[in-house]
């Protein structure tokens, strides 16, 4: 890896085509440190957390807060210096987040550093240990379950995705600006873990990438979710072994690079906040900042998510997680329309052609309403028509509902990247993504 | 608040909880959602949803059927007038047609909805919008002279046996409207075939009430000439000024409906195009087979396309997504075979003049098999991920 590489253009026609309102601005603002930060568990897949601190314990930046019982060496660390203010549990005493109140001057836990020259000589076990101690191992995710990567495995491929999960996730230009050398260093570190590194980028992001552009191996169309690592893997894979590939976001790769270069836990992250009718700048703030601090003022009853298609809903009083990079403020539109089923719908967002809006390319505002009621599946085929990994979601759902996991798997259940588009288009309002996701999770747990 | 909304809110208590009409909750819900599009918040990802719902989806099928419906009413009156030796104006013909078609429509919806509401109430389901389509399709496939008790029986069979016995909407193997028609066709052949296509004809003698498909040319005459002699010129077949089932006669109106369904992408174009391709190819091939020039064997693609109920069937019946296949390649095959079987039955089976209904029902039965084969093929092309 390294140096100039040839960029391949990926063709993909399935995805979400309508333009969306509320695209964030390219400018960047810095948010002052908040009073509290949190480390959320809600965005960590399959974790069984073991808490390592007590309330009122003093913590430094980099102090481990909890680890994963499945592999206690994988730790999650504090992104600030202060005291543990609160450990918040949810239903069935499941840990939700640990809140740190910022106090005093920032004090870092010091880790070993790795110079660019030493990358070639460091042994893989040492590298893994360093990243695990520093709380950065979770940056690596492993297909097909998108679980935290198994450090004992050599992945056939690591996909570095320059773009986040939401159409309006932070622009890689804003994330990688001035960090070119760190990014290159990160790529060299990846070379210690795998033989094949794929760097994918949305077409629209390429212009502002400068030097990073030379490292992009695959360019994908500007069509959600073409840049999702799951979609990229589906397009690239040629063997069964590649189903166990890993992925990492470009921002996380930067964190890995910075951590190894400085020996301290990197705390600054780039966020976007999207809202219809608003163009908010990119925000640089501390990891785990409060949702309210980033979101600012928003209309009542809005739904806040970390990805309108494939994120999670967040409580305004909670803190952003390690993997969260965007907040979508989605308005609620509770008004029930008279004769809604027959209105021409000039401004209704739809990928179908049953609204006049399909004739106009103006950006559409999406709200958080279902626009209908759940009905039986009528086999209309809208889900298959939009699935970026060529699944037949309705067939898989029917297999899952009849407990036929073998059929569901052979139909490609594990290729599902949970982009949410099948559910988005379903006129019967069936929770396809939820059912698919539950099916994948159930299969994962069954295998443990 | 909207006064209508107020009315719903004030009557809701009777239909929910311990209200007097709790059993009819699905009916209340169905009526309410016709007026007010329900819009709950999303609870699972994705948190945004498309504006299209099934109600609108089904409404668009009904919209696409309106040209067929209105022309069918007009033509029923027109044919009745012709049979009675009267030249009706457009409005006279329409009003006369209405006296025949409206009772059939009302009986279909009343009886069909009764079964829908009964099953939905017992099962605690929503009332499916799909019935609005079935309830309009079924009358359009009937001759205008059909006795109303048979209409009631037919739609009952279609809804109960064709759909509800299989578990309701989304689970039926056969198209319910066609199931009802097939039931009538085989149970009461006297009112479903032969001299039944012109309303009010019994008053006058000497008018043949047969459809184009039952025409056979005498020795030495070609089928097209024989058709023209009986009034079935190609233009009459295309525009639909001929006797036949209420909705099937006008190829033009069916094509208008098809165009609307394809433009809005409510119907899958693969079924319609595949069906037309199947019919055209098969009828072309058949026209080269040496044989009796006076039968439909020699009619050629245009006559096969415009005569009978093929365009109606392929546009509105075969595109029913529930009873059709769910994968794209299977949809092509499904459509193509309907076209092929329609011509084959018309030409090769002297017992049935028309083959569309049987072809579609037959392929409905095979749709799951087609899907199964397509899925097997698709699996073989995927890199396994287990």
């Amino acid at each position: 890896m390294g140096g100039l590489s040839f960029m391949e253009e990926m063709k993909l026609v399935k995805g979400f085509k309508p333009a969306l309102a509320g695209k964030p601005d390219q400018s960047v603002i810095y948010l002052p440190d908040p009073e509290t930060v949190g480390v959320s568990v809600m965005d960590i897949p399959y974790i069984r957390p073991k808490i390592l601190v007590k309330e009122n314990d003093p913590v430094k930046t980099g102090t481990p807060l909890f680890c994963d019982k499945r592999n206690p060496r994988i730790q999650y660390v504090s992104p600030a210096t202060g005291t543990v203010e609160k450990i918040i549990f949810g239903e069935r005493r499941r840990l939700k987040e640990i809140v740190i109140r910022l106090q005093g001057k920032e004090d870092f836990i010091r880790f070993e550093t790795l110079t660019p020259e030493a990358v070639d000589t460091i042994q893989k076990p040492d590298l893994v240990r360093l990243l695990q101690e520093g709380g950065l191992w979770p940056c690596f995710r492993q297909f097909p379950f998108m679980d935290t990567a198994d450090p004992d495995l050599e992945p056939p491929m690591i996909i570095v995705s320059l773009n986040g999960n939401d159409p309006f996730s932070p622009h890689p230009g804003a994330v990688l600006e001035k960090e070119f050398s760190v990014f290159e260093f990160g790529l060299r570190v990846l070379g210690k873990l795998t033989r094949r590194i794929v760097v994918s980028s949305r077409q629209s992001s390429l212009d502002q990438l400068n030097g990073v552009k030379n490292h992009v191996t695959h360019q994908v169309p500007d069509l959600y979710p073409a840049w999702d690592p799951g979609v990229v893997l589906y397009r690239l894979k040629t063997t069964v072994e590649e189903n166990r590939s890993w992925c990492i976001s470009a921002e996380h790769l930067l964190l890995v690079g910075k951590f190894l270069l400085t020996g301290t836990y990197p705390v600054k992250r780039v966020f976007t906040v999207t809202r219809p009718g608003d163009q908010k700048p990119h925000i640089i703030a501390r990891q785990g900042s409060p949702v309210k601090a980033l979101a600012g003022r928003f209309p009542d009853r809005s739904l806040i998510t970390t990805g309108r298609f494939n994120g999670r809903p967040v409580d305004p009083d909670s803190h952003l997680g390690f993997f969260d990079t965007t907040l979508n403020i989605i308005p609620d539109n509770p008004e029930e329309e008279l004769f809604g089923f027959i209105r021409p719908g000039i401004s209704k967002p739809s990928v179908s052609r049953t609204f006049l809006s399909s004739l106009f390319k103006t950006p559409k505002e999406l709200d958080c309403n279902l626009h209908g009621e759940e009905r039986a599946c009528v086999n209309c085929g809208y889900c298959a028509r939009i699935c970026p990994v060529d699944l037949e979601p309705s067939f898989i759902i029917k297999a899952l509902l009849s407990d036929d996991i073998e059929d569901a798997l052979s139909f490609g259940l594990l290729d599902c990247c949970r982009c949410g588009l099948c559910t988005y288009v379903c006129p019967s309002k069936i929770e396809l993504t939820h059912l698919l996701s539950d099916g994948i999770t159930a299969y994962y747990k069954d295998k443990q | 608040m909207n006064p209508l909304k107020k009315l719903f809110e004030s009557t809701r208590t009777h239909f929910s909880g311990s209200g007097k009409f709790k059993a009819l909750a699905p009916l209340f819900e169905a009526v309410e959602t016709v007026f007010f599009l329900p819009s709950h918040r999303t609870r699972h990802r994705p948190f945004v949803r498309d504006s299209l719902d099934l109600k609108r989806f089904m409404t668009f099928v009904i919209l696409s059927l309106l040209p067929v419906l209105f022309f069918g009413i007009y033509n029923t009156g027109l044919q009745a007038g012709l049979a009675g030796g009267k030249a009706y104006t457009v409005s006279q013909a329409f009003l006369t047609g209405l006296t025949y078609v409206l009772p059939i429509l009302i009986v279909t919806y009343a009886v069909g909805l009764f079964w829908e509401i009964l099953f939905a109430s017992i099962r605690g389901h929503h009332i499916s919008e799909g019935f609005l389509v079935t309830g309009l399709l079924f009358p359009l496939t009937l001759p205008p002279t059909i006795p109303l008790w048979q209409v009631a029986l037919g739609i009952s069979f279609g809804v109960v046996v064709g759909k509800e016995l299989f578990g309701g909407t989304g689970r039926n193997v056969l198209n319910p409207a066609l199931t009802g028609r097939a039931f009538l066709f085989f149970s009461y052949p006297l009112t479903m075939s032969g001299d039944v296509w012109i309303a009010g004809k019994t008053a006058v003698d000497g008018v043949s009430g047969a459809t184009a498909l039952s025409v056979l040319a005498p020795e030495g005459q070609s089928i097209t000439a024989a058709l023209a002699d009986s009034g079935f010129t190609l233009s009459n077949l295309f525009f639909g000024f001929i006797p036949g089932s209420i909705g099937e006669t006008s190829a033009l109106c069916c094509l208008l409906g098809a165009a609307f369904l394809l433009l809005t992408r409510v119907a899958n174009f693969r079924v319609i195009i595949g069906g037309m391709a199947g019919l055209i190819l098969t009828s072309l091939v058949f026209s080269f087979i040496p044989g009796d020039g006076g039968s439909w064997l020699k009619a050629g693609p245009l006559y096969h396309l415009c005569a009978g109920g093929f365009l109606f069937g392929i546009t509105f019946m075969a595109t029913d997504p529930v009873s059709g296949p769910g994968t794209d390649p299977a949809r092509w095959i499904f459509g193509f075979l309907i076209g092929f079987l329609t011509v084959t039955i018309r030409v090769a089976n002297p017992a049935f003049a028309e083959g569309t209904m049987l072809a579609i029902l037959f392929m409905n039965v095979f749709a799951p098999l087609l899907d199964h084969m397509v899925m097997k093929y698709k699996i073989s092309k995927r890199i396994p991920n287990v």
Side-chain angles (χ1 to χ4, degrees), chain B residues 58-120:
Chain B
M58 293 300 180
T59 305
F60 271 52
V61 182
I62 291 176
L63 288 180
S64 74
L65 277 165
L66 291 182
V68 172
L69 174 67
F70 289 128
F71 182 83
I73 293 172
Y74 164 74
N75 187 49
T76 302
L78 182 78
Q79 296 301 327
L82 287 176
K86 284 171 272 183
Y88 282 152
T89 61
V90 172
S91 56
Q92 272 175 323
F94 191 81
L95 287 175
T96 312
L98 215 52
T99 60
Y100 293 103
V101 179
L102 201 58
I104 302 179
L105 270 177
I106 291 172
V107 169
T108 308
Y109 272 117
V111 175
L113 274 175
F114 164 75
W115 290 115
E116 280 286 331
I117 294 168
L118 182 69
F119 276 93

Side-chain angles (χ1 to χ4, degrees), chain B residues 156-232:
Chain B
S156 299
F157 189 88
V159 170
V160 177
V161 179
K163 188 168 81 174
E164 296 298 344
L165 284 192
F166 289 97
T169 305
R171 299 189 168 98
N172 48 303
V173 178
L174 301 170
N175 183 310
L178 273 188
T179 311
R181 187 188 197 270
F183 172 76
L184 291 184
F185 183 80
F186 289 107
S187 307
Y188 306 100
L190 285 181
T191 54
M192 287 295 288
S193 49
D195 279 0
V196 299
W197 306 107
I198 299 177
K201 186 188 75 71
T202 41
V204 186
D205 287 334
V207 179
S208 162
T211 61
L213 288 169
S214 47
V215 169
L216 270 178
E219 197 61 38
Q221 200 185 14
S222 77
I223 179 78
T224 48
L227 281 168
D229 284 353
S230 318
F232 300 114

Side-chain angles (χ1 to χ4, degrees), chain A residues 38-55:
Chain A
V39 178
S40 179
V41 181
M42 309 305 285
D43 59 335
I44 304 169
Y46 307 109
I47 187 175
R48 288 171 55 216
K50 180 175 188 227
I51 303 167
L52 304 173
V53 290
K54 295 189 299 295
E55 283 183 7

Side-chain angles (χ1 to χ4, degrees), chain A residues 109-145:
Chain A
I109 301 246
R110 299 279 161 188
F111 298 93
E112 293 163 45
T113 58
L114 185 69
T115 58
E117 296 75 40
V119 173
D120 296 328
T121 52
I122 189 171
Q123 294 299 305
K124 185 187 163 190
D126 295 329
L127 180 67
V128 171
R129 180 184 49 78
L130 207 55
L131 290 174
Q132 285 177 340
E133 284 173 359
L136 285 153
W137 186 256
C139 292
F140 295 99
R141 294 276 193 103
Q142 184 172 323
F143 291 103
F145 300 105

Side-chain angles (χ1 to χ4, degrees), chain A residues 78-90:
Chain A
S78 170
T81 307
T83 52
V84 177
E85 179 168 275
K86 223 192 219 164
I87 300 177
I88 300 174
F89 294 95

